[in-house]
Amino acid sequence: MTMETPRNPVTFTADEVAYLHAQPLGRLATLGPGGQPFNAPVAFDFDERLGVIWISGSTMASTAKYRNVLRNPKVAFVVDDVLSMDPWQPRGITMRGVATALDADSAAGRARGGRAVIRITPLRVVSWAVNSSA
C-alpha cells in the first residue's frame, strides 16, 4: 500500500484560529476494522504554526482511535458549539485529512509530556458562522 505524503494546503483565517484556540473539545472520526466509522470526543491542541491538530492523553496508545489511525490515516475532525439557542446560531469547523499515530518515544510524544499522540493534518476545512464576515 502506497501512502501519499501528508501536505497541508489549508490556510486558516484569523477568526478560525481564534475559535480553535477557544474551544476545549472536538470529535475525531476514524475508521475501525472493516471500515466501520468510530467517533470519539477528544480534548485537542491547535498548533497554528504547523497548521495541525494534536490529540493526546495518558492512555492514548491503548485507545481504539489510536489503533484505527495506525490502520487507516483518513480522519475527520469537528469542533462546534451553539452561540445562541434563540435565535438558533450553531457555528463550527469541520476538517478532513490524514492522521499520524506517534508513540511516546517520538519527538512529538516527548514534547507532549512523554505521551503517545495523534497528529491531524487537515487537507480540507469548512467553517460556518466562525468568521467575523460570516
Side-chain angles (χ1 to χ4, degrees):
M1 176 168 109
T2 339
M3 293 244 336
E4 288 184 46
T5 303
R7 54 189 180 84
N8 192 358
V10 174
T11 302
F12 291 90
T13 67
D15 289 332
E16 290 168 338
V17 169
Y19 180 76
L20 289 170
H21 283 305
Q23 298 301 313
L25 193 64
R27 286 177 292 284
L28 174 63
T30 59
L31 294 171
Q36 183 66 33
F38 175 76
N39 198 8
V42 294
F44 70 96
D45 292 312
F46 176 61
D47 183 334
E48 66 185 278
R49 185 178 60 81
L50 297 176
V52 301
I53 301 290
W54 293 102
I55 299 170
S56 61
S58 59
T59 61
M60 177 59 69
S62 65
T63 65
K65 59 188 161 282
Y66 188 86
R67 291 188 306 273
N68 289 346
V69 167
L70 285 171
R71 271 191 298 275
N72 187 329
K74 293 181 181 179
V75 298
F77 188 67
V78 176
V79 178
D80 63 342
D81 67 348
V82 177
L83 191 59
S84 170
M85 294 296 281
D86 187 18
W88 179 247
Q89 291 181 311
R91 63 184 179 165
I93 300 175
T94 185
M95 303 170 215
R96 286 187 294 192
V98 293
T100 306
L102 301 161
D103 66 32
D105 292 328
S106 68
R110 288 191 307 273
R112 301 211 173 297
R115 297 177 171 184
V117 295
I118 294 174
R119 179 186 62 219
I120 300 171
T121 303
L123 300 176
R124 184 168 194 281
V125 173
V126 176
S127 66
W128 60 98
V130 171
N131 292 320
S132 300
S133 61

